Every structure is written in C-alpha cells, then in structure tokens.
Amino acid sequence: MDGLSPAPFDIAAIRADFPILASEYRGKKLVFLDSGASAQKPRQVIQAMVTCMESAYANVHRGAYHLSEQATADYEAARAAVARFINAPSEADIIFTANSTMAMNLVAHSFGRGMLKPGQAVIASEMEHHANLVPWQMLRDAHGTELRICRITDAGELDLGHLAELLADGRAGLVAITHMSNVLGTVTPAAQIARMAHEAGAKVLFDGSQAAVHRRVDVQAIDADFYAFTGHKLYGPTGIGVLYAKADLQRAMPPFLGGGDMIASVGLHHSTWAEPPAKFEAGTPAIIEAIGLHAAIRYVEAIGMAAIEAHERALVDHAMAVLPGIEGLRILGAAQDRGGVFAFALDNAHSHDLSTLLDRAGIAVRAGRHCAEPLHERLGAESGTCRASFGLYTTAAEIDYLAEALVSARRFFA
Amino acid sequence: MFDDLRDLYQEVILDHGRKPRNFRRLENATHHARGDNPLCGDKMDLWLAFNEDGSIADAAFQGRGCAISMASASLMTETVRGKTPAQAKAMGAGFRELAMTGHCPACDAALEEDMERLTPLSGVHEFPSRVKCATLAWHTLNNALDDPGGKEASSE
Ligand SMILES: Cc1ncc(COP(=O)(O)O)c(C=O)c1O
C-alpha cells in the first residue's frame, strides 16, 4: 500500500489489534487519551518482537554464524524501513538511538561541540519539550554557544517574524524547533523554517517526536538537516529512537559515544571511526526494539499515513466542536494547523485533582506541565494542565465521554 | 459520576482546598522554607513564628497546588500551632504514615486529637501518585524547623 491514497479506515478492526484497549479498571473501560506520552502497541509489533527472540535473535554485526547474519539483516531492514518512512535519501542517513531525547543530545554533542564555534547561536522556541531545550542550555554552558529563544504567538504558533530577527545577524548555527508541539498540538511550517534557517547559514533540526506519528514526514521535501523521533510514540517499543542526519553532516561530525561497533580499528592509544551511521551507534544496539519499530512502521503504513491523518483531523474537528462549549474549560493554543493534542484546565480544579477524577472514569490523561515548563509559564498555566492526546485508535465517542466527564468534574468541585 | 471519590475529596478537604486557612505571609516569622513538587508544579512558602517557650506561635503559608496539597498545608498550619518543634515533627512522621498506609498506629496518644483532624487526608493512600501532594507541606515544615534560613524542600 502506498499510504498516499486514504485506505478504508476500519476503527473497530484497528482497536482489536491493540490488546490493552480491551482492558478495564474498577469496572470502567479504558479510555486511553495519553498516546502523546507513549502510544499503545498492536499485536503485530508485540508478535514481531517475540518472533525475533524466539527464532532470529543474536547480536548484530559480530557473528559469522547464520543467526547473527539473520539478526543483522533484520536490524538493517528496520533501518531501511525508517529511511523509506521519512523519505530519507539513503538508509545510511538513519542513526538508531534510544529515543528522541538521545537523538537531540547526539546532535548537541557531535554537531554542537564538534562543528559549532563558541559565539555561534542555537535557536529553540518557547514551545519546546525539555528534550529540545535542555541539551542546548548544556551546550551553551559547556561550549560557549548562545541560546536564543524564538517566541510563540498567543495562539500558540511560532512567531516567524521573531525567528527572522533572531537569524538576522547570521550568527545562528542551528535552529532546533519542534515539528509538532506536545502541548498545543501546533504543527510548525517546517519547510519554511528550514528555508529561513538555510538562508541565514544555519542548519535545522526538527523534533518530530509528535509529528512523525500524525503526519507523513518527508525530510527531503522540508529539507531538514536533522530530524528526530521516538519509537514508542509511533506504536513501537520503548528504547528505540531515530535521528536522521544528512550524509555530509554525518561524515563531518565527530562520534557521540565511544565503544564497540563505532570503530574501524582500535589501538591502545588511538582508534579510527567506522563509516556513518555505525560511527554513531556505539555498543550493542536495541536489536529487538528495532525489529519492533519496523513492525510498527509496517503497521501504520498498511493503514496509510494519509488515512491516519484524515482520521485524526476528524477527531480534532470533533474535539473543537465539543470541548470549547464546556463551561469553565480553557484550552491552550489555537493554532490553525493542529494535531490531536489538547491541553486544558478547568477553572475550579487543579490539573492533578482533575486527572484523579478522570482516572476514576477510566480516562487516562496526562497531568502537569508535560515536560514543557517554560511554555506553561508563557501561557499563564503554571499550575499545569491536563492533556488529552489522540492516537489512531481514538474514537469520537471517547472524546464525547471525556467532555461528559469534564462537565461532571466541574460540578464535583463546585 | 464521581461519587466514590468523596472518600478522597471529603468536604473538609474541598473546603480547606478552596479557602485555605492561614494563607498569608507571616511578617514576624523567624523560620521559612520553600516546598516544591517539580512533577506537578506545586510550590509553597511556609513561615513559622515561635513563642518564648519555644513552641510554635503561628504558622502560615502561601503557594499554589491541588486541592489535596492546599488542604494539607491549611490543616497543618492549624494543627501545629502551640506545638514544640519535636511534637510538630512527630506529627509530621505520623502524618506521612497515615498518607502512605491509611493508618497511623504509631501515632503518639498525646497527639491523638490533633492527628484526628488530619485523618480526612488518609484517603490519599489509595492514590500513590497523590501521596506527595499531601505530604509536601509536612516536608516543608521539617525543612523550616531544621534550617530556618529557607532551603528548598522537595516532595521527591
Ligand atoms: C515533542 C517531544 N519531544 C521530545 C520528547 C521526548 O521523547 P523521548 O522521551 O522518547 O525521548 C517528547 C515525548 O515525551 C515529545 O513530545
């Protein structure tokens, strides 16, 4: 299936693929609205990992026996699948990491310390996840780069005018921006951001942790230099993430971690590095998890990213029709281009109290500040919010049920 | 929809959560500490003033947080008044036991009456992620007693 033409979207069949969705707690059916933190796993992913362990497991790139050769081929096939999934020019452009946090840290270390000069600037934004903010603070403190923060508008969109100002002096070496906010749902105009960065002589990194789950990503079309995402949000296992990095950058960047698998030859005092991407994958990688991620990509591609996007757009439209009418409910952000993420607060209930109530109704939402403390300060929501985030298995009925529970919760605290 | 949660959110808690008592800065305080629950963004400042005999003359706080943490801080400021630091700490230890297990068998009989005032909060023991909300105020109290200068307490 090419994934471009919307496939018939059989929500009942999809839900049946996710064993956990049938579970109950205290007699309430699970309404899982926390996929943005981590998504549930379909049988196809679970089974692929079990099969790997039962019949095709050994360490990779090491043994000359058939099991190791098989595992190596499966691991590399996962890399090729990731490359196709985001339309990378070559599978060699795909570095496997532990998660997107590690991907960002790899860029901060290898590109940041290796290729940026002290005095150059990194531009992040007010709506970054801590994973795409703290590494740049650490780089600044260790390496003497400057950290510039691009503002967002009150609607929760990136302020592109401010970005232009921050780029104007030509000192920016990297623009590190989310492709979709994990709090506001805002999808950022990646191609335009990349064009602006490149015209100012900067490279661009997109944190695609959320975006890659909800939209078809084409790293060539947006001209990303780096693109990071994480397997567990894409219906795959924990412990595996992806960093796409352009080939010339991978060649120029020094390694991140040192150890086995990332070397060409090792002497007691000096070593030489393997060719990319192996140069950036020190130690035994997450083999079983890579197999699981491959299965997850096959799963979403069989449904089709276009169909998934259409389903989620319908859910967002439904939520926008239902939630804003609830008395006392504030929804953060009002971006034009929004993915299935809603952070909200009730006027008479703290986010933690609210999530305890929703949990009783069987609804799993995240409470707090969702690893985006500065963003909550910026939007005057220091006490945190609850966040409902949708997955491909989310239904409009679940959103209706959330709305009903929110009305009851407000009455409870009245 | 949420009737079974009335055990956790008893009327006393909702009341103290909405209208916390002693919610003010204490100008004549000699002891201060700040409490912080980084997980949810709860923050509180606690001030203490003492009588000549060393007992707590006044306790007051300001901050933001969920109904549980506000109610717990509010009830704490009421119950520690008149207590010596040692008694206040013993109450805190008893309260943490109460919050984690729902019982406080070790609570000193001498403090029984005061502990009784805190029992509406015992419901949190069924909600592991909420225990910290209830105990933050008491952690902060310990810090204020140990280090009058105002070190940051964390519920972690
Ligand atoms: C936008 C964004 N960036 C980064 C991350 C970090 O992902 P991980 O914890 O898998 O590294 C998350 C998820 O928590 C996210 O939503």
Side-chain angles (χ1 to χ4, degrees):
Chain A
M1 194 167 293
D2 62 3
L4 293 174
S5 46
F9 198 82
D10 185 346
I11 187 82
I14 287 171
R15 290 182 65 85
D17 286 335
F18 290 80
I20 208 169
L21 295 181
S23 65
E24 291 190 356
Y25 179 64
R26 289 171 172 274
K28 295 274 175 24
K29 258 187 70 181
L30 173 66
V31 174
F32 188 75
L33 296 177
D34 198 21
S35 296
S38 201
Q40 299 299 347
K41 320 302 175 200
R43 276 179 223 288
Q44 289 83 340
V45 167
I46 299 165
Q47 194 51 52
M49 296 173 76
V50 170
T51 302
C52 167
M53 285 183 280
E54 286 183 347
S55 58
Y57 183 74
N59 209 333
V60 294
H61 304 309
R62 291 182 189 186
Y65 51 95
H66 84 278
L67 265 184
S68 176
E69 284 164 354
Q70 180 66 50
T72 303
D74 292 347
Y75 180 70
E76 291 305 324
R79 195 191 306 278
V82 169
R84 282 193 304 275
F85 181 62
I86 58 172
N87 195 31
S90 157
E91 58 208 55
D93 304 333
I94 304 300
I95 302 165
F96 280 129
T97 63
N99 48 36
S100 52
T101 301
M102 184 171 159
M104 254 80 80
N105 278 278
L106 192 161
V107 176
H109 198 94
S110 293
F111 175 78
R113 293 192 193 201
M115 295 179 69
L116 290 180
K117 293 188 185 56
Q120 279 194 288
V122 175
I123 301 176
S125 87
E126 282 181 323
M127 63 176 159
E128 298 312 315
H129 187 282
H130 297 166
N132 194 29
L133 179 62
V134 178
W136 313 120
Q137 296 171 348
M138 292 167 69
L139 180 68
R140 174 197 61 203
D141 297 344
H143 189 61
T145 47
E146 188 190 329
L147 173 59
R148 298 179 178 174
I149 302 295
C150 183
R151 287 194 296 263
I152 59 168
T153 66
D154 290 338
E157 291 172 329
L158 198 66
D159 183 341
L160 292 173
H162 190 223
L163 180 62
E165 281 171 39
L166 295 179
L167 285 166
D169 67 0
R171 285 208 294 120
L174 179 71
V175 175
I177 299 276
T178 188
H179 194 189
M180 174 177 156
S181 162
N182 61 312
V183 176
L184 307 173
T186 308
V187 178
T188 56
Q192 191 178 352
I193 294 166
R195 206 176 319 117
M196 292 170 71
H198 290 153
E199 276 165 14
K203 303 295 181 198
V204 63
L205 158 72
F206 291 107
D207 174 0
S209 305
Q210 296 291 337
V213 182
H214 303 288
R215 302 283 169 96
R216 169 164 290 281
V217 171
D218 183 333
V219 291
Q220 296 189 70
I222 58 181
D223 200 13
D225 298 296
F226 300 103
Y227 196 96
F229 68 97
T230 195
H232 66 96
K233 295 185 202 278
L234 186 65
Y235 314 101
T238 50
I240 185 118
V242 169
L243 176 67
Y244 161 80
K246 278 185 182 165
D248 57 326
L249 286 167
Q250 287 204 38
R251 271 193 301 277
M253 277 160 34
F256 177 34
L257 304 174
D261 283 341
M262 52 76 71
I263 32 73
S265 68
V266 176
L268 278 180
H269 297 284
H270 297 285
S271 301
T272 56
W273 314 139
E275 287 300 308
K279 177 173 143 187
F280 299 101
E281 292 181 6
T284 298
I287 302 164
I288 303 156
E289 291 75 9
I291 306 301
L293 176 61
H294 188 178
I297 288 174
R298 243 181 297 157
Y299 184 79
V300 295
E301 286 190 327
I303 296 169
M305 286 309 286
I308 291 171
E309 183 177 336
H311 173 67
E312 291 184 2
R313 276 188 198 278
L315 290 176
V316 169
D317 289 347
H318 187 73
M320 284 311 279
V322 172
L323 297 178
I326 296 171
E327 208 181 330
L329 189 76
R330 175 184 176 206
I331 295 171
L332 263 51
Q336 286 296 321
D337 192 359
R338 171 173 213 146
V341 169
F342 287 85
F344 52 82
L346 273 182
D347 56 357
N348 68 348
H350 188 275
S351 61
H352 252 180
D353 296 315
L354 183 54
S355 73
T356 291
L357 261 67
L358 295 177
D359 182 42
R360 266 309 153 101
I363 302 173
V365 295
R366 182 157 172 192
R369 289 174 296 180
H370 326 301
C371 297
E373 237 179 279
L375 177 60
H376 277 78
E377 303 274 338
R378 159 71 177 81
L379 296 172
E382 294 84 350
S383 297
T385 53
C386 287
R387 179 186 72 180
S389 51
F390 309 153
L392 52 79
Y393 37 64
T394 304
T395 67
E398 288 180 313
I399 295 168
D400 291 339
Y401 181 61
L402 169 68
E404 196 188 315
L406 287 171
V407 171
S408 298
R410 188 155 184 278
R411 228 180 286 129
F412 183 92
F413 288 111
Chain B
M1 200 168 205
F2 303 117
D3 282 345
D4 58 336
L5 279 172
R6 289 287 170 206
D7 272 353
L8 175 64
Y9 292 102
Q10 297 188 18
E11 205 37 60
V12 188
I13 294 176
L14 290 177
D15 176 48
H16 279 257
R18 267 189 226 111
K19 294 181 305 235
R21 319 299 195 265
N22 302 311
F23 192 84
R24 59 194 152 83
R25 174 182 268 283
L26 202 59
E27 294 306 338
N28 61 340
T30 55
H31 290 53
H32 165 253
R34 169 164 293 174
D36 181 21
N37 182 349
L39 220 66
C40 56
D42 285 5
K43 275 192 189 337
M44 69 178 65
D45 281 286
L46 175 72
W47 294 274
L48 301 172
F50 290 83
N51 294 312
E52 300 217 327
D53 66 2
S55 63
I56 296 172
D58 204 357
F61 79 107
Q62 279 188 327
R64 59 167 197 241
C66 62
I68 309 275
S69 74
M70 290 294 103
S72 179
S74 172
L75 287 164
M76 180 185 81
T77 55
E78 290 193 333
T79 48
V80 297
R81 201 168 298 169
K83 304 293 183 299
T84 64
Q87 285 172 323
K89 282 191 171 186
M91 287 177 67
F95 179 74
R96 276 190 290 279
E97 176 89 22
L98 186 72
M100 281 188 299
T101 66
H103 316 275
C104 176
C107 283
D108 192 329
L111 297 172
E112 202 173 359
E113 225 170 90
D114 298 297
M115 291 309 296
E116 218 141 84
R117 291 211 57 208
L118 305 176
T119 52
L121 283 159
S122 66
V124 294
H125 82 275
E126 284 185 45
F127 300 83
S129 67
R130 306 303 304 278
V131 170
K132 286 176 180 174
C133 310
T135 54
L136 177 61
W138 292 93
H139 282 291
T140 312
L141 176 72
N142 265 2
N143 273 17
L145 292 170
D146 291 343
D147 175 16
K151 179 175 83 195
E152 190 127 335
S154 169
S155 62
E156 289 300 294

